[in-house]
Amino acid sequence: MIEQKGFFFRTDRCAACYACVSACRSEHGLPGYRRVETSGYEHSVSLSCGHCEAPECMRVCPRNAFSKRRDGIIVIDEDRCDGCGDCRQACPYAAVQLVFNPQTQEHKAMKCEFCLRTRPQESAPACVEACCTGALDWGPVGTPPGLDRWEMRLDGMFTPDFTKPALRFQVPKAKERYWAADNSRLI
Amino acid sequence: MSTTHTVRNVCPRNCFSTCSLLTEVKDGRPVRVKGDPRHGFNRGKLCAKGYAYPAYDADENRLLYPLRQYPRHSGRFHRITWEEAFADIAAQLFASFDRWGTNKAAAYHAFSGNLGILQNNALKGLFRGLGAHTAVTGNPCLGTGREALRKQQGGEVTEPPERMAEARAVVIWGANPAVTNIHQMKFIHAARDRGGELAVIDPVFTESAKAADVYVQLAPDGDGWAAAAVIKLLIEQGAVDEAAIEAGIDGGDEFVRDLRALSWQTLMHRSGAEAGAIAHLAKLYHPAEQPVMTWIGYGLQRSRAGAFAVRAIDALAVVTGHRHMPGGTVYYFHPEQLNVPNQPASLHPLADGVREIDFRTFAKEAAALADPPVEMLWLFSRNPLAQDGDRTVWKEWLRSLNLVVTSDLMMTETAACSDIILPATTMFEHHDLHVSYWNHWLSLNETAASPRGEARSELATAASFSRYLNAARPGFSRFRDDLSETDWLELEIDAEMQRCYGIRSWQDLRRGPVQRQEPHAGERLFRRPDFSGKNGSFLAERPSRTTNQDRSRNFRLLSPQSLLRIHSQFAGLKGVSDLAEARAYVYIHPADAADHGVNAGDTVLLYNSSGEIERTAALNAALIRGVLVTSQRTEDAVNQLANTADEEAAPAGTSSDFFEIRCDLCAKEGSR
């Protein structure tokens, strides 16, 4: 592999505005391949395919429909996929969708492929292009953006140990909160 | 063979951003939109709703043909021609005119459904062209705070909001840009990346509060008291000089006297703030500290305490010097929509005898008019049945009128109570010009597609109806129906607009939006601040407790904007409506829920003397006890609980005071 591409996520920047999800749907149609998880009170996470280093989807697929490119992006060969759904069961991050095509009356496994089919190589995927807070970024995980510190794991999220997704997080900073004083008779 | 090209459009919704977008048009219809990289505020990005605009254009629920509802209020809508629709409206207009000798019996009600300069003003211009009529006035969104600031500062000049990127500290009182102004967040983050601090002050722990370095929770209506407490603390610390306030500010001596008379106990109790919060804010606003950019939100002025809160926060920025310090300022509202020519309306001089009625009491006051009574109402860019208080009054009044006409894109609740429904165009189907009430950009919206069905832009509706009237009765309408969309664009970009924006013609905007370079000649600059009120300073005008007949109910209901809607717009929009708030939640403190026998997921009723709404209970321990939070929504909208009937005296200003709503809560029987 030359360089593994992946997503970078500045947790403190995400406002759960869903622009990434809406842009993904605009690019690829429903149901779209990205979602926002509002985990707990303090922060949210925008998630899609992790393009894992050890992808379970690829391992379990009985028809070898998945392949990992030299840039780490995992793509699905539609012609091979028979819609069995094993990959969806296996993905720990719920990144694979089974999409029904009413014309062919078939289900096909589909997921984020970094907009490879709709955009020129090296242009940002639709979700990153849409993110206006700078929460979501992309690039080779070996050369992360800025001087920031990036982590494989984020508290409250899945463990990355098993499939090693190409996702890097900035953990939230500590913040000051002054809750209302007397919480009994303020209205 | 399919053809694809790109056109510039502008989102016309009532939103801070007023984003310019690039529309990919394929075979004559918009198929995809992107943010316009040349717009200096949205900078190539859109929000979740924005990316779904092609679906909005193609929505199967769009109104495509004129409809007549017959029998009235039967829910039976019959397709008619524009000619037939105009004949009905003209017949009522002529009958009223012949009876009363004036057009005052014809009223319109409109606000912000489409904020484009041409389309928003077109039907207003039509009414102005009829001479005396009855019209709605005011600003239910932000009017109270605006009036308060104009009283205090004498003028309103705002910095471009992009400057927030250079702030050393941003303090947001009662606004939630993460939900309502997402494109502002990047400028705030840029400031934070350089070491700036973001503080958010809100009764609700919003998405913006979560993002903030410092969050201060106050009681609802606590803002004015908290700001006064910070000033009092800074005076006690010797950081702010009472003598300077007395000497430099009109009403300054009364202000100092009134502030001295306010005890710490009162200030802390009414603000709801923890002592540490006031100390933290005093440190931020210390006159010797780095400049603070203060952002006064619209949320805190939607109650009786609104004007008091806005003036107190502004006063804090004034007495500490941060309002006019280089790098400091106060943001509230950029009044550009009022400063542009608005030719489709203003070209027609306002006749004597026009009856103007405030939004908040419109139905009640309009229903009471005599000599002549209102007999016909035309609604556009508005859906009062889903938004305004006094819903019962509204419904009865609509039934009592001879004719109700609604121009809209969708069959709103109000449209469904109308006799004639006229299909309007989306921004893809007409030309327009747009300015923002927040940023300083001017954008051109160009036609990307022909109207679907028989939809007509409001400008085309106004012009064609004017011609219809004059064909039947020459000279009845003086609306300039001879002008085309591009003629109006020429007129709107007059010499003053050319100077302010550095352009020669509207055609220059085809290359991209431009930012205002110079203020308008008539724009009022600040004068010496004025803290005076009716009896002493504004501090003496702090609001009493509500006199609403629901005042003793257990809960205060806050109903902030939803992320994926603008009021009742975008409900059910394909591609986004399922993303968040798919269910109608009410957020409740767990202890309050327990007290009322409510569990998470229960169907609950919120009720008061005005009505009841149904929601799904969700628990949130970050809430203040006694506060409920729910989104406005379209179905079972919050306005069913709003009633202006019982207030002794209307509070200052013109904003809807929806955050005054008191209600009770119970689990719906049989819901478990």
Side-chain angles (χ1 to χ4, degrees), chain B residues 204 302 556-562 567 615 628-633 638-639 658-661:
Chain B
V204 182
R302 293 201 178 124
R556 178 89 177 250
L557 180 65
L558 302 181
S559 50
Q561 288 284 353
S562 329
H567 296 291
R615 292 291 189 269
L628 300 176
V629 176
T630 192
S631 57
Q632 299 175 7
R633 296 191 79 81
V638 165
N639 68 323
F658 271 24
F659 291 5
E660 282 293 341
I661 291 175

Side-chain angles (χ1 to χ4, degrees), chain B residues 210-459:
Chain B
K210 291 176 192 176
D213 303 297
V214 179
Y215 168 58
V216 172
Q217 187 173 45
L218 300 179
D221 295 346
D223 307 79
W225 306 94
V230 176
I231 299 173
K232 193 176 178 79
L233 182 58
L234 286 167
I235 289 172
E236 286 184 5
Q237 289 172 350
V240 167
D241 183 14
E242 283 181 333
I245 297 174
E246 288 165 344
I249 295 168
D250 288 346
D253 37 5
E254 288 96 335
F255 175 83
V256 167
R257 186 197 65 210
D258 292 341
L259 186 59
R260 278 188 194 151
L262 279 172
S263 72
W264 272 111
Q265 194 194 0
T266 301
L267 289 170
M268 296 310 288
H269 177 69
R270 296 295 295 270
S271 73
E274 193 198 315
I278 301 299
H280 189 104
L281 291 173
K283 212 172 143 209
L284 266 181
Y285 276 101
H286 193 288
E289 279 297 321
Q290 302 265 24
V292 175
M293 290 195 179
T294 300
W295 178 352
I296 304 176
Y298 305 144
L300 57 82
Q301 48 98 59
R302 293 201 178 124
S303 73
R304 288 162 59 81
F308 167 69
V310 168
R311 292 190 71 178
I313 297 163
D314 183 64
L316 170 60
V318 169
V319 302
T320 55
H322 286 278
R323 198 189 217 286
H324 297 296
M325 218 180 259
T329 192
V330 172
Y331 286 102
Y332 181 72
F333 167 67
H334 177 56
E336 190 67 358
Q337 275 152 351
L338 303 156
N339 288 334
V340 299
N342 290 309
Q343 296 284 15
S346 63
L347 199 61
H348 314 91
L350 198 61
D352 288 339
V354 171
R355 300 187 292 196
E356 294 188 317
I357 305 175
D358 190 281
F359 276 98
R360 291 181 306 179
T361 47
F362 188 84
K364 210 186 292 179
E365 283 189 50
L369 287 175
D371 289 333
V374 173
E375 294 174 334
M376 180 203 127
L377 176 69
W378 194 328
L379 297 125
F380 49 95
S381 272
R382 197 101 216 289
N383 180 12
L385 288 185
Q387 278 182 268
D388 286 8
D390 299 331
R391 221 174 85 106
T392 314
V393 180
W394 258 107
K395 283 192 138 176
E396 281 171 14
W397 184 56
L398 289 178
R399 279 179 180 275
S400 77
L401 292 167
N402 292 357
L403 185 72
V404 179
V405 182
T406 295
S407 300
D408 214 316
L409 286 153
M410 307 281 176
M411 185 63 85
T412 64
E413 195 178 356
T414 310
C417 289
S418 309
D419 302 295
I420 301 287
I421 296 124
L422 301 175
T425 42
T426 65
M427 80 278 201
F428 298 120
E429 300 163 337
H430 57 237
H431 272 68
D432 216 330
L433 278 169
H434 294 263
V435 292
S436 153
Y437 52 82
W438 182 250
N439 64 65
H440 293 204
W441 290 80
L442 168 68
S443 309
L444 173 69
N445 179 80
E446 292 199 87
T447 302
S450 52
R452 280 184 62 202
E454 291 179 8
R456 274 186 201 177
S457 74
E458 292 187 356
L459 198 53

